[in-house]
Amino acid sequence: MGKKPRRPRRAFTPEFKAEIVEVCRRGDRTMAQVARDFDLTETAVREWVRQADLDNGTRSDGLTSEERDELARLRRENRRLREDVDILRRATAFFVLMPG
């Protein structure tokens, strides 16, 4: 038996994710049923519910969406600053070696 073909990556709005989380929280269907009904992966649905729990404070074993956004922003800023330092280091080396 072969593996199932990979499903193409899809993007969902925050509103859609919140709606799916609400359907799961009603409790009349399992997450697996909700995933099948909306043609989603069960893993994605579980992650959306987990992230919603982190965001509203009912879980504390991960980062909230706000913290994730801040971390991503800080990583981008850190990468940019490292590039700036590298450019300055090379420019300094160039001027030190320049005959003059």
Side-chain angles (χ1 to χ4, degrees):
M1 273 197 202
K3 290 184 179 181
K4 288 195 299 187
R6 285 190 68 122
R7 175 187 287 229
R9 188 165 188 89
R10 299 180 290 172
F12 300 98
T13 64
E15 295 80 15
F16 179 77
K17 292 177 183 181
E19 186 177 324
I20 295 299
V21 169
E22 185 56 39
V23 170
C24 290
R25 287 195 174 137
R26 280 190 218 134
D28 56 341
R29 293 187 268 182
T30 66
M31 284 190 214
Q33 289 170 322
V34 171
R36 276 193 305 274
D37 292 348
F38 288 89
D39 189 31
L40 302 166
T41 63
E42 189 174 347
T43 303
V45 172
R46 287 189 187 286
E47 184 56 33
W48 296 347
V49 170
R50 179 182 170 280
Q51 190 63 53
D53 289 345
L54 286 166
D55 290 347
N56 68 26
T58 56
R59 287 181 80 130
S60 61
D61 59 338
L63 299 175
T64 65
S65 293
E66 188 175 301
E67 291 168 331
R68 284 178 184 270
D69 292 344
E70 181 181 16
L71 181 60
R73 181 185 60 77
L74 290 171
R75 284 180 173 165
R76 279 191 306 273
E77 183 179 344
N78 194 5
R79 184 172 45 251
R80 185 182 53 79
L81 291 171
R82 286 178 190 269
E83 290 170 358
D84 290 351
V85 166
D86 187 49
I87 289 168
L88 289 172
R89 187 178 295 125
R90 282 188 266 146
T92 302
F94 174 78
F95 287 113
V96 166
L97 297 174
M98 203 170 120

